[in-house]
Amino acid sequence: MFYAACKISGNALPGGGTLVLIVPSMTAAVPLRQSVAAPTGPAESLRRLATGNDAAAWAWIVEREGPAMFRVAMRILGEAAAADDACQEALLHVRNDAGRFHPPSDGDADAAARGWLLRVTASAAAMWNLAA
């Protein structure tokens, strides 16, 4: 498996620190479909990941939703190293199971997508906590 580093820094993290996530890389493992435009939100990113290996959609989720996912894992696990591992596990699930997300027919699809991403993260953190 190939991995890529994703650096998250600034106000997204408590105390304004820097976090480097080592996430599965889609670029080296599978051929990527070239996107015409960047995704407009998490719902579109998940849809594009579900229909094909879209590098822009993957980057959008890691960069824009990764900090919130890390915060959820951190709240559950209480230590950065464990939260980092759980967050990486959650991102693997998101990449592999994006097709499991079904946006609501009415309502805010992006809010539902964010909720789904955070639930996947909370589940990964809970499982990580049980394994430890």
Side-chain angles (χ1 to χ4, degrees):
M1 181 173 286
F2 299 95
Y3 293 91
C6 174
K7 187 174 184 180
I8 301 170
S9 60
N11 295 335
L13 298 174
T18 299
L19 167 72
V20 177
L21 290 175
I22 307 299
V23 295
S25 173
M26 297 181 74
T27 57
V30 292
L32 294 174
R33 185 184 70 202
Q34 292 299 317
S35 300
V36 176
T40 58
E44 182 185 351
S45 295
L46 288 171
R47 180 190 58 77
R48 285 169 52 171
L49 276 178
T51 59
N53 296 313
D54 188 319
W58 175 246
W60 200 98
I61 287 173
V62 170
E63 292 170 7
R64 304 249 179 123
E65 300 300 328
M69 293 170 73
F70 178 80
R71 285 191 300 271
V72 165
M74 186 68 182
R75 283 187 196 125
I76 292 169
L77 296 169
E79 63 178 52
D84 185 46
D85 290 338
C87 192
Q88 289 179 44
E89 184 69 26
L91 286 166
L92 276 173
H93 287 292
V94 168
R95 185 192 67 182
N96 295 333
D97 299 328
R100 290 186 173 190
F101 171 71
H102 301 289
S105 56
D106 58 343
D108 189 350
D110 284 335
R114 283 186 186 97
W116 186 81
L117 290 167
L118 298 180
R119 279 192 308 276
V120 168
T121 305
S123 294
M127 294 302 292
W128 188 263
N129 204 20
L130 287 174

